[in-house]
Amino acid sequence: MVKICCIGAGYVGGPTMAVIALKCPEIEVAVVDISVPRINAWNSEQLPIYEPGLDDVVKQCRGRNLFFSTDVERHVCEADIVFVSVNTPTKTRGLGAGKAADLTYWESAARMIADVSKSSKIVVEKSTVPVKTAEAIEKILSHNSKGINFQILSNPEFLAEGTAIEDLFKPDRVLIGGRETPEGAKAVKTLKDVYAHWVPEDRIICTNLWSAELSKLAANAFLAQRISSVNAMSALCEATGADVTEVSHAVGKDTRIGSKFLNASVGFGGSCFQKDILNLVYICECNGLPEVAHYWKQVILMNDYQKTRFVNRVVASMFNTVANKKVAILGFAFKKDTGDTRETPAIDVCKGLLGDKAQLSIYDPQVSEDQIRKDLSMNKFDWDHPAHLQPSSPTAIKQLSVVWDAYEATKDAHAVCILTEWDEFRNLDYQKMFDNMQKPAFVFDGRNVVDAEKLRNIGFIVYSIGKPLDAWLKDMPAVA
Ligand code: UDX
Ligand code: ADP
């Protein structure tokens, strides 16, 4: 019987291992983490992450062949396959600060594996890592291994949050990279056999280690680039009277381009896109490829521009000042159907508005007040460190309230900013909202979820990303 252990019970490790346990009942899967509260939550009724379908999968397997534990060393020692799914933050200090991946957590996990192992193991890179990380990990393991054989595989995860379970059940592809040696090929085959329990063979792609590592960075860079491309177009649409939804539709009909992932927005967020592109940029620079680095850097700069442009639009439209005006923020998560706020554009937009002295009232159906306050007081890139390293009592932000209802958030507000595309925001009673707001009442829709015409008929001044501008907005241009 194969035993699997996954180090890191986060957004990737938790759902991925739960699905492996469900699909492979004869395999014992242990998910371990240094964070006691996180493991306790995985063992409770209230899982630490919100993901549609996850509760059901965990309930079916937990205690049967799926275990969550803080006894990291014991489970690593007993496992045949060890997945490593720990944090890989962006470095904030020293060489490569602001770009390079900080492999502290990875290195300490690798050293621990070497220390506690008594039998040969396959070690699988699951969290995204820089190209050639496997080589570094191999060195750590082989220098400390007391003669035990370790095979390193790269098996990047492509799941998206909010659809993680669906993505894991029916992946577009599973990618496994390994050394091109007989032992490497054997390790690849072992992992392939795990996925083959439910993934058709033609969807399991086997490559060399470096291709697998780079493919993950490349896939995220391509996806983010699509969003930055459509967001760049959204600025031009507003300037010319074109409608970005019509442009995306027309462009996406070309089967070579495809229609998915072309929604203009206030900017992309999430734990991967920015971090992985910065990492890619750094790797290019280190390999003497400044032009390639510059090319990918633009994807991030365009995303930053989109967030700044949104804030400028809000402030400019409201007579160039939001000081002491109540502004309602609907949605804080980086996209709908998740409570995750990592790199959410809402952080930059809220910080921008707070910088202009607005009074914010925030509502998100899945994000807690504690999380929002933490996010707004944390420094850039600090989110990607285990919780115990983060400040437990974030500095109080006085101009901020977090409420549990969209109507409460918008009561007496001058403006509403929609920053996450939660379905419920489509069907709010906007007439009721309008009646309880200051006038003129503004809606700034950063996700194109509202019916702008309907809202204009109620009396709102409406801004929708990439759509023809109201006369009011044309008269109050935002200076970048
Ligand atoms: C992403 C990749 O999709 C996934 O394959 C990888 O494993 C991890 O990173 P995730 O960050 O969970 O997944 O979410 P994703 O659905 O890709 O959305 C990322 C951001 O882009 C969100 O803020 C989303 O709102 C935004 N987005 C997405 C747009 O603004 N427009 C779009 O058309 C699509
Ligand atoms: P992801 O989105 O990639 O899953 P998360 O930040 O959600 O990332 O999860 C990473 C997890 O890894 C965290 O819960 C953290 O506590 C855990 N972790 C980091 N270092 C170690 C380690 N050395 N041993 C065990 N768990 C670790």
Side-chain angles (χ1 to χ4, degrees):
M1 193 174 100
V2 176
K3 277 193 177 184
I4 289 179
C5 173
C6 175
I7 307 176
Y11 285 88
V12 172
T16 312
M17 292 305 125
V19 168
I20 290 181
L22 181 77
K23 299 291 186 182
C24 312
E26 82 285 9
I27 297 180
E28 193 180 298
V29 182
V31 189
V32 297
D33 203 294
I34 40 176
S35 163
V36 176
R38 209 161 209 189
I39 289 299
N40 287 345
W42 278 110
N43 281 320
S44 76
E45 287 301 299
Q46 184 78 39
L47 300 183
I49 60 177
Y50 170 69
E51 194 62 65
L54 177 64
D55 281 32
D56 190 44
V57 175
V58 170
K59 273 198 189 114
Q60 287 187 58
C61 323
R62 196 171 53 190
R64 180 189 78 184
N65 64 329
L66 175 66
F67 303 93
F68 295 94
S69 167
T70 48
D71 194 347
V72 180
E73 299 188 355
R74 177 169 73 84
H75 287 286
V76 168
C77 177
E78 289 175 359
D80 306 290
I81 305 176
V82 180
F83 286 86
V84 185
S85 187
V86 299
N87 321 59
T88 45
T90 304
K91 278 184 84 171
T92 50
R93 277 187 214 145
L95 189 65
K99 279 181 277 192
D102 176 350
L103 291 178
T104 310
Y105 302 108
W106 239 107
E107 187 175 333
S108 89
R111 288 181 188 279
M112 184 268 297
I113 296 170
D115 281 350
V116 305
S117 293
K118 296 195 182 82
S119 57
S120 297
K121 298 193 190 315
I122 297 172
V123 176
V124 186
E125 294 174 345
K126 198 64 177 154
S127 37
T128 314
V129 287
V131 187
K132 294 275 176 182
T133 299
E135 200 161 66
I137 302 303
E138 257 173 2
K139 284 189 181 131
I140 292 171
L141 291 172
S142 58
H143 277 87
N144 295 280
S145 70
K146 303 155 268 174
I148 296 167
N149 183 268
F150 291 104
Q151 279 300 317
I152 319 290
L153 299 180
S154 165
N155 172 221
E157 186 47 66
F158 294 102
L159 64 82
E161 285 174 36
T163 53
I165 298 299
E166 228 173 280
D167 296 343
L168 286 161
F169 280 178
K170 286 191 173 173
D172 287 343
R173 79 303 208 184
V174 166
L175 181 57
I176 304 173
R179 281 280 186 200
E180 291 157 299
T181 59
E183 299 79 28
K186 196 169 156 225
V188 169
K189 164 92 173 49
T190 305
L191 187 56
K192 192 175 170 187
D193 288 345
V194 172
Y195 285 106
H197 280 73
W198 78 98
V199 181
E201 191 145 345
D202 59 352
R203 294 204 173 199
I204 305 179
I205 304 171
C206 300
T207 66
N208 76 27
L209 265 172
W210 325 128
S211 302
E213 287 180 339
L214 182 56
S215 298
K216 169 69 186 196
L217 293 180
N220 277 342
F222 277 44
L223 288 169
Q225 182 207 45
R226 275 175 83 88
I227 303 168
S228 277
S229 297
V230 77
N231 282 346
M233 287 301 160
S234 75
L236 191 55
C237 285
E238 288 166 30
T240 57
D243 179 328
V244 75
T245 310
E246 292 175 357
V247 173
S248 303
H249 181 69
V251 170
K253 277 288 174 194
D254 186 325
T255 51
R256 292 170 301 177
I257 297 172
S259 60
K260 291 184 185 158
F261 244 71
L262 284 180
N263 294 320
S265 68
V266 59
F268 60 72
S271 66
C272 287
F273 284 175
Q274 169 161 297
K275 185 170 81 174
D276 289 356
I277 294 176
L278 288 173
N279 193 348
L280 188 64
V281 166
Y282 183 68
I283 294 166
C284 292
E285 286 170 355
C286 291
N287 282 284
L289 301 167
E291 288 80 3
V292 185
H294 184 70
Y295 174 77
W296 287 111
K297 186 80 195 281
Q298 285 303 316
V299 174
I300 303 285
L301 295 183
M302 184 51 63
N303 198 47
D304 288 341
Y305 169 70
Q306 189 76 346
K307 291 180 274 188
T308 309
R309 202 167 76 76
F310 187 86
V311 173
N312 290 352
R313 178 72 76 188
V314 174
V315 178
S317 310
M318 295 167 72
F319 313 102
N320 244 350
T321 176
V322 286
N324 301 319
K325 290 179 185 165
K326 180 173 172 182
V327 176
I329 303 292
L330 299 189
F332 197 83
F334 82 99
K335 64 175 188 179
K336 73 170 182 176
D337 292 339
T338 174
D340 193 356
T341 60
R342 293 178 294 176
E343 291 292 349
T344 175
I347 295 177
D348 287 336
V349 170
C350 289
K351 281 185 174 171
L353 293 171
L354 287 169
D356 237 292
K357 296 201 164 57
Q359 296 278 346
L360 300 186
S361 185
I362 304 180
Y363 164 65
D364 186 290
Q366 283 296 333
V367 185
S368 69
E369 171 161 4
D370 188 46
Q371 186 62 49
I372 291 174
R373 289 192 181 275
K374 252 190 204 156
D375 287 335
L376 292 177
S377 48
M378 227 185 285
N379 292 325
K380 208 170 160 66
F381 304 128
D382 276 359
W383 55 267
D384 203 5
H385 292 272
H388 60 273
L389 297 179
Q390 288 168 20
S392 52
S393 52
T395 31
I397 302 168
K398 289 199 194 74
Q399 304 146 258
L400 178 72
S401 66
V402 179
V403 296
W404 285 101
D405 175 49
Y407 300 106
E408 181 63 29
T410 53
K411 192 165 176 286
D412 293 323
H414 289 257
V416 181
C417 297
I418 301 175
L419 302 184
T420 312
E421 72 282 21
W422 286 104
D423 289 337
E424 65 177 74
F425 298 159
R426 292 177 200 276
N427 304 315
L428 292 170
D429 183 345
Y430 283 95
Q431 180 68 58
K432 175 174 156 189
M433 220 180 246
F434 181 78
D435 293 342
N436 290 322
M437 284 175 66
Q438 307 277 343
K439 310 293 172 331
F442 298 84
V443 170
F444 298 94
D445 185 359
R447 296 286 185 167
N448 286 340
V449 295
V450 300
D451 180 341
E453 263 333 290
K454 205 168 131 193
L455 264 59
R456 283 186 188 117
N457 288 336
I458 292 174
F460 281 107
I461 295 160
V462 185
Y463 166 71
S464 306
I465 293 269
K467 304 270 184 171
L469 296 176
D470 282 12
W472 179 290
L473 300 168
K474 275 191 201 151
D475 290 343
M476 302 250 185
V479 181

